[in-house]
């Protein structure tokens, strides 16, 4: 379920008192019309922002089902560009939409920016997220025996056998 939390946002409306005041004075008619246009554009802009945010969350819900069901370990690589193409907006619009926004999930609260991760193409043609590769390296390191540590090249070879092609230097970093 997608629900935008707007209880902390101020309500924007056009004051009837102000409208009556401006309409009663014919010398202010042009000023009134300009103010009304500006106010309506502001309200439309806010509605458009909400529509874009809702669309973005709908795409995330569809594309990142594993993340919503199991948590961050199941996040798939996704770029701003991918979402911008789906929604038919510019990439910078998506960037502005997610800046400073958070999402509450059953697994915790996350910055929307953290859901956009880079990926590595594996040998089967599937994209693995960077966080998945890091987690896999950590698993290999944690499963080492203290007297028999894996070398960086051995970790690289194990990952290569799993279809994850990264360099030894990347493993070392």
């Amino acid at each position: 379920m997608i629900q935008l939390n707007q209880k902390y946002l101020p309500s924007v409306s056009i004051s009837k008192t102000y409208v009556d005041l401006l309409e009663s004075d014919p010398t202010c008619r042009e000023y009134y019309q300009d103010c009304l246009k500006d106010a309506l554009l502001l309200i439309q802009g806010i509605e458009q922002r909400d529509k874009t945010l809702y669309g973005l969350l709908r795409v995330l819900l569809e594309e990142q089902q594993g993340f919503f069901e199991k948590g961050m370990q199941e996040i798939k690589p996704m770029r701003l560009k991918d979402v911008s193409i789906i929604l038919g907006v510019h990439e910078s619009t998506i960037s502005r939409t997610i800046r400073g926004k958070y999402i509450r999930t059953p697994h915790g609260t996350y910055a929307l920016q953290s859901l956009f991760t880079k990926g590595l193409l594996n040998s089967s043609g599937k994209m693995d997220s960077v966080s998945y590769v890091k987690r896999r390296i950590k698993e290999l390191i944690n499963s080492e025996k203290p007297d028999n540590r894996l070398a960086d090249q051995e970790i690289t070879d194990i990952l290569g056998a799993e279809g994850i092609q990264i360099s030894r230097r990347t493993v070392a970093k």
Side-chain angles (χ1 to χ4, degrees):
M1 180 172 77
I2 299 171
Q3 183 178 358
L4 299 178
N5 182 3
Q6 299 187 341
K7 69 180 181 180
Y8 296 108
L9 297 176
S11 164
V12 178
S13 62
I14 300 169
S15 169
K16 179 74 172 132
T17 307
Y18 186 66
V19 171
D20 291 341
L21 178 68
L22 288 172
E23 283 182 334
S24 66
D25 186 356
T27 59
C28 296
R29 187 145 189 82
E30 188 176 324
Y31 175 72
Y32 160 71
Q33 288 174 340
D34 289 343
C35 289
L36 187 59
K37 272 190 228 173
D38 290 345
L40 291 174
L41 282 173
L42 177 64
I43 291 169
Q44 287 173 344
I46 292 169
E47 289 172 358
Q48 183 62 42
R49 181 199 64 192
D50 291 347
K51 182 180 172 187
T52 302
L53 184 58
Y54 186 85
L56 168 82
L57 293 172
R58 185 183 44 76
V59 169
L60 285 175
L61 199 56
E62 291 170 2
E63 299 292 323
Q64 297 285 7
Q65 273 188 319
F67 164 75
F68 288 104
E69 292 171 1
K70 298 179 183 165
M72 198 58 133
Q73 68 270 12
E74 291 297 320
I75 196 159
K76 289 190 254 178
M78 182 180 276
R79 300 175 306 168
L80 295 175
K81 186 175 186 175
D82 301 331
V83 175
S84 70
I85 290 169
I86 293 168
L87 293 177
V89 296
H90 195 271
E91 196 173 333
S92 65
T93 302
I94 301 300
S95 177
R96 284 190 311 275
T97 300
I98 65 173
R99 190 176 312 124
K101 309 273 187 334
Y102 295 84
I103 185 168
R104 188 175 69 194
T105 71
H107 308 288
T109 302
Y110 299 93
L112 281 178
Q113 289 176 322
S114 68
L115 302 183
F116 291 88
T117 61
K118 294 180 182 176
L120 301 168
L121 193 62
N122 66 24
S123 61
S124 67
K126 181 183 165 240
M127 285 285 248
D128 290 321
S129 70
V130 171
S131 60
Y132 169 77
V133 175
K134 286 180 180 180
R135 190 176 74 249
R136 186 66 188 112
I137 292 170
K138 188 173 185 171
E139 288 170 359
L140 290 171
I141 291 170
N142 289 340
S143 67
E144 293 175 332
K145 294 178 182 158
D147 58 334
N148 188 18
R149 302 260 184 222
L150 291 172
D152 294 343
Q153 187 59 51
E154 291 173 311
I155 293 173
T156 304
D157 294 340
I158 292 169
L159 293 174
E162 295 175 4
I164 302 169
Q165 302 300 319
I166 59 174
S167 70
R168 181 209 55 80
R169 184 158 188 233
T170 303
V171 171
K173 285 182 177 181

